Each structure stands twice: as structure tokens, then as C-alpha cells.
């Protein structure tokens, strides 16, 4: 099983890209953080990312999704990974929790995700949403933290440049085809 991660700054179009890949028949796994935020906001919590247990909620959902993802296909595409959650903790100035540290250790020592990571580049803007309250300048800093985190763990970043969805899908599928041929 080859598990590939799509990562990048908030608002870069990762989820749109993932949905486009799903429409073309690829097995995809949705982002956990957005769902953790949405569920908390539905319960009346306006800014769940300020809660100390927020990161651990993401970690638990990411792990559950990874362990229960369908295994029939040889390739899975993930909207973020625990390394993204580590980047989030770093960006927020948090000390990584034991749950986060253990999950990063698990996925890195077991080689859960491929070394090649699709780095979806920013679109030149970042539109705030209820779950994404970050401006463009902040998103660029967050993008840098993601790059640094993945590189620190030895991942190769495959650049998915800003552009239309068709170009982005073609970029990802070209790498997947190349890897299948190996």
C-alpha cells in the first residue's frame, strides 16, 4: 500500500485537489483538522484550536482514518498527515503532546506514508473561513513551517504549483504513474 500526503498552507486548494482526484477514481482520505473544528463549532465552541486538547483530537482522528481506510487500492491520497499536525503545533508555539509525538514516531518508523509528499502551493491569497482564520501573510509562514517539518523528517517535496485544477491533478497523476512504473 502506497500512502501519499497532500500538504501545504491553509487555503491552497488541497481539499479541492483531493476531491478532483477522488472523482477520477483515486482512494482519498479527508483532512482531520477541518472536521475536528467543524464538530466543535457545531457544539458552540467558536475557536476550538485554542483548546489544549485540540491537537490530540486531530491526531486521534488522523490515526483512525489511516487505520480504517479502504485497502483495496494500491494507492491512497491523504489530505494532511501527523507531520502536518506537528507543523500546526510548531506554528502555534505548542510543545508537541505525547499523543502527537507517539503518532509521528509511529508513522515515521513504520514508513506509513511515502517519502514523496505532494506540496500544494499557495494560490496567492488565503480566504478566511469559520475554520480557517488566517490571513495570507500568516499562511505563508505556516507554509514555510510545513516545508521545514517535512524536510526535517526526510521527505521529498513534490511541487504542485498554483494553477487550475486540471493541471494540479495532472501533476499528481504523473508522479503516481511514474512510481507505478518503478
Amino acid at each position: 500500500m502506497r500512502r501519499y500526503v497532500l500538504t501545504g498552507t491553509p487555503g491552497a486548494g488541497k481539499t479541492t485537489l483531493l476531491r478532483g482526484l477522488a472523482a477520477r477514481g483515486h482512494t482519498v482520505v479527508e483532512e482531520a483538522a477541518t472536521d475536528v473544528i467543524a464538530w466543535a463549532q457545531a457544539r458552540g465552541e467558536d475557536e476550538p484550536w485554542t483548546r489544549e486538547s485540540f491537537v490530540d483530537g486531530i491526531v486521534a482522528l488522523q490515526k483512525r482514518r489511516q487505520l480504517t481506510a479502504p485497502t483495496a487500492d494500491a494507492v491512497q491520497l491523504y489530505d494532511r498527515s501527523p507531520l502536518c499536525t506537528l507543523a500546526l503545533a510548531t506554528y502555534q508555539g505548542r510543545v508537541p503532546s505525547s499523543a502527537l509525538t507517539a503518532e509521528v514516531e509511529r508513522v515515521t518508523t513504520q514508513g506509513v506514508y511515502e517519502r514523496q509528499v505532494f506540496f500544494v502551493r499557495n494560490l496567492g491569497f488565503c480566504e478566511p473561513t469559520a475554520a480557517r482564520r488566517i490571513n495570507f501573510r500568516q499562511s505563508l509562514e505556516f507554509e514555510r513551517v510545513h516545508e521545514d517539518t517535512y524536510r526535517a523528517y526526510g521527505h521529498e517535496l513534490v511541487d504542485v504549483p498554483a494553477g487550475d485544477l486540471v493541471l494540479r491533478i495532472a501533476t499528481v497523476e504523473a508522479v503516481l504513474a511514474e512510481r507505478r512504473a518503478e
Side-chain angles (χ1 to χ4, degrees), residues 1 8 15 19 34 44 73-74 87 111 122 124 134 138 145 166 179:
M1 171 69 56
T15 302
R19 290 186 180 142
T34 300
D73 295 329
N122 73 77
I134 186 170
Q138 293 166 323
V145 172
V166 172
R179 290 296 311 268

Side-chain angles (χ1 to χ4, degrees), residues 33-51 54 128-133:
T34 300
D35 287 340
V36 169
I37 292 168
W39 296 333
Q41 288 178 336
R43 292 188 315 268
E45 188 177 356
D46 186 48
E47 296 181 347
W49 51 84
T50 62
R51 183 176 11 96
F54 174 67
T129 67
R132 180 179 55 234
R133 298 184 191 164

Side-chain angles (χ1 to χ4, degrees), residues 23 53 177:
S53 63

Side-chain angles (χ1 to χ4, degrees), residues 8-41:
T9 191
K14 293 175 304 300
T15 302
T16 300
L17 174 56
L18 196 78
R19 290 186 180 142
L21 289 161
R24 292 187 47 81
H26 296 280
T27 299
V28 302
V29 179
E30 298 283 337
E31 179 184 17
T34 300
D35 287 340
V36 169
I37 292 168
W39 296 333
Q41 288 178 336

Side-chain angles (χ1 to χ4, degrees), residues 47 66 78 85 101 110 120 143 150 153 160-161 165 169-170:
E47 296 181 347
Q66 185 264 308
Y78 286 75
T85 309
T101 302
Q110 292 179 12
V120 182
E143 181 179 64
Y150 275 93
Y153 281 86
V160 180
L165 182 58
I169 289 171

Side-chain angles (χ1 to χ4, degrees), residues 81-100:
S81 82
L83 287 177
C84 294
T85 309
L86 178 60
L88 172 64
T90 301
Y91 178 77
Q92 290 182 328
R94 296 178 186 232
V95 173
S97 68
S98 59
L100 175 56

